[in-house]
Amino acid sequence: MSENNCDFDLVIVGAGFAGMYMLHRARGLGLKAKVFEAGSGVGGTWYWNRYPGARCDVESMQYSYQFSPELEQEWEWSERYSPQPEILNYANHVADRFDLRADIQFDTSVERAIFDEGSSCWNLTTSDGETCSARYCVMATGCLSSTNLPDFEGLDSFKGDKYHTGQWPHEGVDFTGKRVAVIGTGSSAIQSIPHIAEQAEHLTVFQRTPNYTIPAHNRAMDQAYAAKVKAEYPAMRARAKTMPPGMDITPNMQPALEATAEERQAQYEAKWAEGGIPFMGAFGDLMLNDEANNTAAAFVRGKIRETVEDPAIAELLSPDNVIGCKRLCVDSDYYDTYNRPDVTLVDIANDPIERLTPDGLVVKGEAYEVDAIVFATGFDAMTGTLLRIDIRGLGGRTLKEKWEEGPKSYLGLSMAGFPNMFTVTGPGSPSVLTNMLPSIEQHVDWIADCLAYCQENGHKQINSSQQAEDDWVSHVSESADLSLRSTCSSWYVGANIPGKPRVFMPYLGGFPMYVERCNDIAANGYKGFALS
Ligand code: NA7
């Protein structure tokens, strides 16, 4: 890159799928780039979340990179939904295949990023005390990368083993003969509970809010299907990009309330048999109309009652809120697990965990003695990791100050007042509401094209305008109001973190509309950005 007075053209924070592809694209542009990664290896989410049963809830043939047709063709997935170790192998394979490790510094977090207005460089300080500067900074820090460990009274007094699903020991955990508590019933809990129950002497699950989960019907990869997909991968990827979640699915657009009760039942049965997230595509109005949504919710509650033998437990496991409002979970044998004599469900909806003691937990004055506690308590999603870094933009303003009332970003890609910094799948982008890998690739490609444009036109600084950012933030908020998704207390709105501003963070307008907007902005000389 010409006339660069910074150490690097580009520093990338994070070596998950976003950071790895960003490095690959940067090299293609001839940029001097470096990645800092907190973990000891690549893979991001799939590096950290090693809990038993961890698995992707998007089908394997769709949850993969598409930038390299050779990679697409050579990699073989073994199951319909990939287990975590296989996705981590894939990430390692990509790192080797494209020789990415040479420019990744592992075991190093970026702790501070300060923009120097004179040089237009970002000055970075890492956890090992080193400093360096970069013209551009890409935060590829992931959406679910800062774990949430609630501040339970007596947390440190517990004498047994403590684990968080998002920071699982690499050597694995053997629960044989142990009395285990799991706190939480989100996706991580729902995936791990059946596996922990298999091993543990006794498992007690502490549930604050029940979740809807649809069976994965996971199975070995159908080789004929995989071959068919590989023969027409570009067409499948293109179809996926026309759908709001960026996945190749065929939703039924008929409104649920226009179908008869028998038709609805048949449709829900078919979707239940298909399994997974496509369940919400049973009808076109499920996320738009409460009454329609309730027909789907009632169907799933019926399945819970059919599966769980004890009616009181079935009742406790049955959510009464909007289905699909919190992210739908995808499971293998979750509800069945509650038929085991060695599994107990404790409802803490109205009586929270009072405290931890050296021997276990106390709820409503009753002591539960356990040998190990698994915190499946989720993440400070979308903003947590960015806000833990001391980021200072123009005039020394911190990101923390800027985001005091909730995240504000132009396209989820760039923050006004923080020039030359980009976020991959940041708040305000479709990110977590879509298939993450295509969304990551779209962001990285957009950023790479933008950097090439700045390079060609001799721009040293690119900064989104306050007006463009404000307009986008309003649009994100208006889009959220149109959907039932914004109506419940989920991590999408920051409700799981005490004191976090309640703002619906991802963009609900869908992948195609979002991409059109991004492309239009780029085609019009990066409309809404000031270039200098
Ligand atoms: P989630 O979905 O945020 O689930 C966290 C769970 O932990 C959820 O059931 C919470 O109950 C529960 N929780 C959180 N804090 C507490 C306290 N203080 N007391 C009791 N229970 C608590 O995280 P996951 O890791 O399961 O999944 C994250 C995403 O990863 C998922 O959406 C997929 O996209 C993949 P709550 O519902 O807040 O009442």
Side-chain angles (χ1 to χ4, degrees):
M1 193 178 216
S2 58
E3 286 180 58
N4 199 352
N5 49 346
C6 324
D7 300 332
F8 296 98
D9 295 317
L10 172 65
V11 158
I12 300 159
V13 186
F17 284 124
M20 288 201 292
Y21 181 46
M22 190 72 240
L23 174 60
H24 179 66
R25 283 297 321 262
R27 284 181 179 170
L29 293 173
L31 301 181
K32 187 179 173 197
K34 172 150 189 171
V35 182
F36 290 106
E37 163 58 50
S40 305
V42 298
T45 276
W46 302 106
Y47 173 87
W48 297 103
N49 286 270
R50 298 172 188 240
Y51 59 83
R55 191 179 290 285
C56 189
D57 57 9
V58 174
E59 289 196 28
S60 310
M61 297 307 289
Q62 301 206 46
Y63 190 82
S64 57
Y65 282 126
Q66 52 196 287
F67 69 85
S68 162
E70 297 78 21
L71 172 66
E72 250 180 355
Q73 291 298 322
E74 77 193 15
W75 185 262
E76 287 178 11
W77 297 106
S78 68
E79 297 180 43
R80 180 186 184 190
Y81 291 99
S82 298
Q84 171 271 331
E86 193 164 323
I87 304 176
L88 188 58
N89 285 346
Y90 174 73
N92 278 294
H93 170 78
V94 171
D96 293 337
R97 195 182 197 289
F98 297 97
D99 188 27
L100 299 177
R101 288 176 220 279
D103 291 314
I104 305 176
Q105 185 171 326
F106 293 105
D107 301 305
T108 313
S109 312
V110 168
E111 295 193 332
R112 192 172 306 136
I114 298 179
F115 188 67
D116 181 86
E117 295 177 36
S119 62
S120 288
C121 300
W122 279 97
N123 290 327
L124 304 149
T125 309
T126 58
S127 48
D128 55 10
E130 300 285 314
T131 57
C132 69
S133 63
R135 166 67 25 92
Y136 298 103
C137 198
V138 170
M139 309 306 285
T141 42
C143 293
L144 296 162
S145 45
S146 282
T147 50
N148 166 43
L149 183 62
D151 189 16
F152 293 114
E153 190 189 321
L155 186 62
D156 294 332
S157 71
F158 179 63
K159 284 192 306 216
D161 299 319
K162 292 194 284 252
Y163 306 99
H164 192 290
T165 49
Q167 286 176 333
W168 203 258
H170 289 198
E171 62 279 13
V173 181
D174 184 1
F175 289 113
T176 308
K178 300 264 169 77
R179 297 160 303 169
V180 182
V182 170
I183 304 176
T185 46
S187 181
S188 303
I190 283 174
Q191 289 189 335
S192 57
I193 281 169
H195 294 264
I196 297 173
E198 282 285 327
Q199 273 188 355
E201 182 192 301
H202 195 94
L203 170 64
T204 309
V205 178
F206 294 84
Q207 172 187 273
R208 188 163 71 179
T209 318
N211 249 311
Y212 296 96
T213 174
I214 308 296
H217 302 305
N218 187 44
R219 50 183 173 259
M221 179 60 74
D222 174 342
Q223 293 307 326
Y225 169 71
K228 185 167 170 290
V229 170
K230 284 188 176 181
E232 51 185 49
Y233 239 141
M236 186 216 224
R237 303 289 201 186
R239 276 197 309 275
K241 286 178 182 160
T242 65
M243 304 308 293
M247 282 178 229
D248 183 29
I249 47 170
T250 40
N252 169 27
M253 295 317 290
Q254 184 197 10
L257 301 178
E258 284 181 12
T260 64
E262 291 73 27
E263 285 166 346
R264 276 199 299 270
Q265 185 69 13
Q267 173 69 352
Y268 290 138
E269 285 289 0
K271 284 287 177 189
W272 185 263
E274 180 187 343
I277 287 173
F279 181 82
M280 292 309 292
F283 290 101
D285 54 352
L286 296 184
M287 290 321 295
L288 301 172
N289 180 314
D290 246 326
E291 203 183 334
N293 187 282
N294 196 37
T295 63
F299 174 86
V300 176
R301 287 193 287 266
K303 286 289 181 193
I304 298 171
R305 280 194 294 271
E306 269 174 34
T307 312
V308 179
E309 288 155 11
D310 181 334
I313 299 294
E315 197 51 40
L316 279 182
L317 287 167
S318 296
D320 61 1
N321 55 0
V322 166
I323 182 169
C325 187
K326 290 192 174 200
R327 189 182 169 104
L328 197 63
C329 299
V330 180
D331 74 285
S332 297
D333 301 326
Y334 177 66
Y335 293 126
D336 277 311
T337 299
Y338 291 93
N339 293 329
R340 297 177 65 112
D342 50 6
V343 174
T344 308
L345 180 67
V346 177
D347 174 26
I348 53 167
N350 300 317
D351 302 288
I353 291 168
E354 276 169 35
R355 62 184 183 281
L356 268 58
T357 65
D359 302 316
L361 307 88
V362 179
V363 175
K364 252 168 90 177
E366 188 174 339
Y368 294 85
E369 290 193 359
V370 293
D371 305 302
I373 302 178
V374 174
F375 296 88
T377 43
F379 300 87
D380 186 351
M382 304 200 76
T383 57
T385 305
L386 290 166
L387 289 173
R388 284 176 200 190
I389 304 172
D390 181 10
I391 301 176
R392 293 166 192 249
L394 295 178
R397 190 174 185 216
T398 64
L399 188 63
K400 216 176 238 151
E401 284 160 359
K402 180 180 169 79
W403 282 5
E404 210 170 358
E405 289 164 7
K408 294 186 172 66
S409 162
Y410 186 29
L411 303 169
L413 272 164
S414 155
M415 291 91 69
F418 295 77
N420 298 1
M421 176 173 275
F422 298 92
T423 49
V424 182
T425 61
S429 73
S431 59
V432 291
L433 302 178
T434 61
N435 184 2
M436 282 300 277
L437 268 171
S439 278
I440 283 171
E441 282 184 312
Q442 184 264 339
H443 262 195
V444 169
D445 285 333
W446 191 96
I447 293 167
D449 291 349
C450 176
L451 299 187
Y453 179 89
C454 290
Q455 199 174 355
E456 279 156 23
N457 293 280
H459 299 304
K460 272 175 105 176
Q461 248 193 57
I462 176 163
N463 186 13
S464 43
S465 78
Q466 193 56 56
Q467 188 60 52
E469 181 179 273
D470 290 346
D471 292 348
W472 182 255
V473 169
S474 304
H475 176 59
V476 170
S477 161
E478 283 157 15
S479 307
D481 291 344
L482 299 175
S483 165
L484 296 175
R485 276 218 177 186
S486 57
T487 58
C488 64
S489 298
S490 66
W491 59 257
Y492 294 136
V493 295
N496 60 329
I497 304 293
K500 190 164 173 170
R502 293 276 181 122
V503 173
F504 192 84
M505 294 183 285
Y507 174 53
L508 253 165
F511 187 82
M513 214 191 310
Y514 177 76
V515 173
E516 196 184 315
R517 193 73 168 252
C518 290
N519 291 347
D520 176 62
I521 287 164
N524 286 286
Y526 293 90
K527 202 166 55 181
F529 286 92
L531 296 139
S532 58

